[in-house]
Amino acid sequence: MTKIVILTGPTGVGKTEIATIISQKLSAEIISADSRQVYKYLTIGTNKPIGEWKIVSKDKVYIYNDIPYHLVDFLDVTQNYDAGTFYQDATELIKKISSKAKLPLIVGGTGLYIKTLTDGISELPKRNDVIRNYLLNLKELYGKDYLYTMLKNLDPKRAQEIHPNNIHRIIRSLEIILQTGKPFSELVKETQKLPIYDTLLLCIYIEKNILKKRIIERTEWMFKNGIIEETKQLLSKGYNENIPAFSSIGYKWILKLIKNEIDIDTAKQNIVKDTMAYIKRQLIWFKKDKKIQWIDCSNYSLKETIDKIYQMIYKYLWKK
């Protein structure tokens, strides 16, 4: 069975920098498991690694610090990207990277994406644009709460698994229910799961007060490095504020700031607040996964953190 290493953790913990250095040590290629960094044009607000596209062996590859960094900066901002599509894309990349005798290193904090690789994924119906457009129209007419109530009525168990603000998962669940006539939660039990990998799953963590300080600093960095200009530039291309990419944390406050509905300090405070709330949800998700090996790096230097993770990966790869 193919071996893969997954390096996860809450937003702002430093996964990208750590993974890049480890990739250089272990001859690895990185596959991003971040649902927001897939989008083109949005770099500052999604904290996307700032690399460049290059031709490598006839393939166009995103390169960051000399490391191939897959599944970032490729999707149009008007498109949705889900866990099933991630699984398919990541599976192809894992096969390709392994064929070159390199290590597939999956890096990111989107728990649902990671779960598809550790637990497998059910074969669910493909996207149905007719039903999806119907649901999107309901959302425009009555709001997202209407759709969440609809899901609670049709599949209470599934509704409990989804945050009321996660409109993409609500719509996808309803789409499958309306398409099949079965509750999503029952359908998942019935369907065959696809193969999974031999996986080392590591989760980096630091103390909350240290992490919050980093998020505040990162938010300041975003404003200094052009998140407002990035948003304006996308709007100038003719995109509206309802595109899927703008559902990424922070952009709704930048849009309000651009429209003079709030001031810059309010925007910053709300971005920090939303990011910390997201981190809380990430940690709740991760703590449910008993396969995770936790690494508390609160009192480690960057070098000590990298050395510890490197040793864990090395031991895993060459164990008998």
Side-chain angles (χ1 to χ4, degrees):
M1 187 176 287
T2 301
K3 287 187 174 184
I4 64 172
V5 174
I6 299 176
L7 187 62
T8 190
T11 294
V13 80
K15 298 182 293 293
T16 300
E17 184 177 8
I18 292 168
T20 304
I21 296 171
I22 287 176
S23 294
Q24 293 166 344
K25 287 174 171 284
L26 288 171
S27 185
E29 294 189 15
I30 295 174
I31 300 172
S32 172
D34 187 300
S35 62
R36 302 292 95 187
Q37 292 180 359
V38 295
Y39 290 111
K40 296 187 287 186
Y41 311 128
L42 298 185
T43 298
I44 305 302
T46 61
N47 203 36
K48 186 191 304 172
I50 302 175
E52 59 180 329
W53 288 95
K54 293 183 178 179
I55 301 299
V56 180
S57 301
K58 298 182 180 180
D59 291 330
K60 194 175 181 182
V61 181
Y62 193 80
I63 304 293
Y64 173 68
N65 283 353
D66 298 322
I67 299 296
Y69 209 111
H70 305 282
L71 298 188
V72 297
D73 197 55
F74 70 94
L75 192 71
D76 186 86
V77 291
T78 61
Q79 296 180 314
N80 288 299
Y81 195 72
D82 59 26
T85 308
F86 167 80
Y87 180 88
Q88 293 169 2
D89 291 344
T91 298
E92 289 300 314
L93 284 164
I94 289 168
K95 188 187 302 182
K96 192 170 186 177
I97 293 167
S98 298
S99 71
K100 296 185 286 186
K102 290 190 172 185
L103 172 68
L105 177 57
I106 292 82
V107 181
T110 302
L112 186 60
Y113 286 12
I114 290 167
K115 188 177 176 65
T116 68
L117 298 178
T118 58
D119 294 7
I121 186 170
S122 300
E123 290 275 25
L124 296 172
K126 293 183 178 180
R127 174 175 170 146
N128 185 305
D129 287 331
V130 174
I131 296 175
R132 183 171 289 257
N133 289 334
Y134 164 71
L135 293 169
L136 287 170
N137 286 335
L138 288 179
K139 174 181 172 287
E140 291 302 313
L141 286 171
Y142 305 114
K144 63 185 177 184
D145 290 343
Y146 179 88
L147 291 185
Y148 188 66
T149 300
M150 184 175 173
L151 180 60
K152 285 197 291 186
N153 291 331
L154 293 173
D155 190 350
K157 184 177 178 182
R158 179 60 174 168
Q160 288 181 345
E161 298 171 349
I162 300 177
H163 192 278
N165 292 333
N166 195 331
I167 190 62
H168 299 301
R169 291 182 69 194
I170 292 169
I171 287 176
R172 176 58 177 156
S173 300
L174 286 170
E175 178 187 342
I176 291 170
I177 292 168
L178 295 178
Q179 193 172 349
T180 63
K182 295 182 178 181
F184 181 98
S185 52
E186 287 184 15
L187 194 65
V188 168
K189 288 182 181 178
E190 293 174 4
T191 53
Q192 182 71 35
K193 287 198 169 185
L194 297 174
I196 55 177
Y197 301 97
D198 182 350
T199 307
L200 175 65
L201 179 54
L202 305 175
C203 184
I204 309 170
Y205 178 67
I206 56 177
E207 292 175 4
K208 183 179 177 181
N209 60 327
I210 301 173
L211 190 53
K212 185 170 183 179
K213 183 181 177 183
R214 288 191 186 182
I215 296 304
I216 292 170
E217 290 172 350
R218 190 174 82 173
T219 301
E220 290 292 339
W221 178 90
M222 287 177 180
F223 280 84
K224 288 177 182 177
N225 286 272
I227 188 173
I228 298 172
E229 292 75 17
E230 179 177 77
T231 307
K232 285 181 177 178
Q233 186 176 28
L234 196 54
L235 292 170
S236 72
K237 293 178 183 291
Y239 296 107
N240 66 55
E241 61 184 70
N242 295 316
I243 57 174
F246 275 154
S247 65
S248 305
I249 288 177
Y251 286 104
K252 73 176 181 180
W253 302 113
I254 302 301
L255 291 165
K256 287 180 179 293
L257 177 61
I258 290 170
K259 292 186 288 185
N260 295 315
E261 294 178 1
I262 58 174
D263 60 30
I264 192 166
D265 288 336
T266 302
K268 290 177 181 179
Q269 290 166 9
N270 283 323
I271 290 173
V272 171
K273 181 181 177 182
D274 287 354
T275 305
M276 293 307 296
Y278 176 61
I279 287 170
K280 183 178 180 180
R281 296 196 298 274
Q282 285 180 302
L283 290 172
I284 289 171
W285 177 284
F286 296 146
K287 285 174 182 176
K288 292 178 182 177
D289 194 334
K290 303 305 179 184
K291 296 181 292 300
I292 284 180
Q293 296 186 46
W294 291 84
I295 306 170
D296 187 345
C297 301
S298 303
N299 299 312
Y300 290 173
S301 67
L302 177 61
K303 183 181 183 304
E304 289 171 332
T305 299
I306 290 168
D307 287 345
K308 182 175 180 63
I309 293 172
Y310 173 80
Q311 290 299 327
M312 294 176 76
I313 296 174
Y314 187 90
K315 184 178 178 181
Y316 160 74
L317 291 176
W318 281 275
K319 69 179 180 181
K320 291 183 180 180

